[in-house]
Amino acid sequence: MANPIKPSTLYDGTEEFYRTLKETRLADVFRFISFIPKETYGPHAHQRIEINYVKKGSAALHLENGNLMRFKEKELMVITPNVPHKFEAGPSGATLMQLEFLPDMFIRSASLIKPETQKEQPSAETLLTEGNGVIRITDNPSITATIQNIIDELRAKRNYYRFMVISRYMELLIQIFRHMRDNYIPEGTNPALQKAVRYIQLNYQSPVSSADIAAHAGISERYLRKMFALRLNSSPIEYLNRLRIEKAMRLLENTGLSVKEISFRCGFNSPQYFSRVFRQHTGSLPRTKR
């Protein structure tokens, strides 16, 4: 019988890395937990990154600045370190998938990523700034699946699970940064821009124009374009199309819908236009999973 591969032979020069893995707390909390209606916890703050996925019911976070953030089923809350908060279950209770880990996990993960360009390199420190506070993530099954995979690995503790968990943290870090680049509007952002982005996120499946977005936000189209250029480095329509393409990519990967069906479901007025925009964003034409 062949000898099993030693972890230290999996990568060049990993003896030191493997040693640090054995000494690292990969997570402080990884569990599913249920709360009865209106049950509260806190207020408290901690140095860990806390991620809660609302699997069932609803919940709210009361923040120190007086803000109240409500989360419904299938939404994620990412609570960055040292942010005081009080958790409250909704009127029908809440079931959460919870993962808590030290910021060092993301910092380690980022240090192992070799970017194609310096511009693309994630910065864990940027994510963990107090200005981010609580990040809401909606409709992102990829991030949810990665968190579930981390929890499963930590529970099962199969061979080389530490390597697998670290790789999942790397994946999670990149996924969150992609979400923040394309969707996240931090607290304190211009209210008109918040309204505009939220309008796009809720109506991307319908015909949407710059005029529609500006009217909903209560500003002129010129000011709308200026805000998007300054804060999001794109035009409103570029932002809209990027969101549509991301939704389309998930449908192509996870459903048996045709390219035509997906194009209309994601708000494009023709499969031809969808294919053209898809190619601009991804470098290839849309194809269904076989």
Side-chain angles (χ1 to χ4, degrees):
M1 182 176 177
N3 292 328
I5 298 175
K6 294 181 179 180
S8 59
T9 65
L10 294 175
Y11 304 92
D12 292 334
T14 55
E15 285 287 354
E16 179 64 20
F17 179 55
Y18 184 60
R19 184 185 66 78
T20 61
L21 274 179
K22 291 198 290 187
E23 296 173 355
T24 299
R25 290 155 55 189
L26 297 178
D28 292 277
V29 175
F30 48 98
R31 64 184 179 182
F32 286 87
I33 184 170
S34 294
F35 295 87
I36 63 174
K38 294 295 183 179
E39 184 177 356
T40 62
Y41 183 76
H44 68 288
H46 42 67
Q47 293 184 336
R48 302 185 299 271
I49 299 172
E50 178 180 347
I51 299 179
N52 296 317
Y53 173 70
V54 184
K55 191 171 180 66
K56 184 177 180 182
S58 61
L61 283 184
H62 301 263
L63 304 180
E64 189 178 46
N65 59 9
N67 286 351
L68 174 65
M69 297 183 66
R70 299 187 184 278
F71 294 84
K72 60 181 185 295
E73 198 167 298
K74 297 183 179 180
E75 286 191 324
L76 271 161
M77 60 186 87
V78 180
I79 307 171
T80 57
N82 304 311
V83 175
H85 58 280
K86 176 183 175 181
F87 173 85
E88 181 181 1
S92 59
T95 299
L96 305 181
M97 178 171 69
Q98 289 189 322
L99 177 64
E100 295 184 16
F101 52 94
L102 293 172
D104 185 54
M105 274 296 104
F106 269 174
I107 295 171
R108 285 172 181 265
S109 299
S111 69
L112 295 174
I113 300 170
K114 184 178 181 181
E116 294 181 6
T117 67
Q118 189 66 29
K119 184 179 179 182
E120 293 179 0
Q121 183 169 7
S123 168
E125 288 83 356
T126 301
L127 172 64
L128 302 178
T129 59
E130 293 185 11
N132 287 322
V134 179
I135 303 168
R136 181 195 305 274
I137 298 178
T138 302
D139 189 24
N140 198 313
S142 297
I143 291 180
T144 305
T146 300
I147 295 169
Q148 177 72 74
N149 287 333
I150 292 173
I151 292 175
D152 290 345
E153 289 289 339
L154 289 169
R155 282 177 165 176
K157 291 184 170 59
R158 292 170 289 184
N159 289 346
Y160 314 133
Y161 80 96
R162 293 177 181 274
F163 284 101
M164 183 62 77
V165 170
I166 290 293
S167 72
R168 295 298 188 188
Y169 275 124
M170 294 169 70
E171 183 179 354
L172 180 60
L173 174 67
I174 295 170
Q175 288 171 332
I176 292 176
F177 266 94
R178 284 178 173 174
H179 168 82
M180 292 179 70
R181 179 198 65 191
D182 298 332
N183 300 288
Y184 181 55
I185 303 297
E187 294 293 328
T189 299
N190 185 306
L193 180 58
Q194 289 183 333
K195 286 183 180 180
V197 169
R198 178 58 63 181
Y199 180 81
I200 291 173
Q201 292 172 344
L202 294 177
N203 295 278
Y204 72 91
Q205 295 176 302
S206 305
V208 175
S209 66
S210 291
D212 296 329
I213 301 168
H216 179 79
I219 56 177
S220 68
E221 285 188 66
R222 181 179 178 182
Y223 186 51
L224 177 75
R225 289 192 294 269
K226 180 179 179 181
M227 282 198 306
F228 268 75
L230 288 174
R231 298 304 301 270
L232 301 176
N233 197 31
S234 74
S235 72
I237 299 304
E238 287 171 347
Y239 181 94
L240 169 64
N241 281 339
R242 188 167 65 230
L243 177 62
R244 285 171 168 170
I245 293 301
E246 287 184 352
K247 304 294 185 183
M249 290 174 69
R250 292 177 194 159
L251 292 175
L252 288 167
E253 180 67 22
N254 300 309
T255 74
L257 296 174
S258 68
V259 170
K260 182 178 180 180
E261 290 174 311
I262 290 173
S263 67
F264 289 121
R265 181 172 290 198
C266 292
F268 292 96
N269 55 20
S270 75
Q272 293 77 21
Y273 179 55
F274 167 55
S275 295
R276 186 165 70 250
V277 175
F278 191 94
R279 188 168 191 171
Q280 290 172 351
H281 282 259
T282 68
S284 61
L285 292 172
R287 292 183 175 86
T288 54
K289 186 177 181 181
R290 295 182 180 180

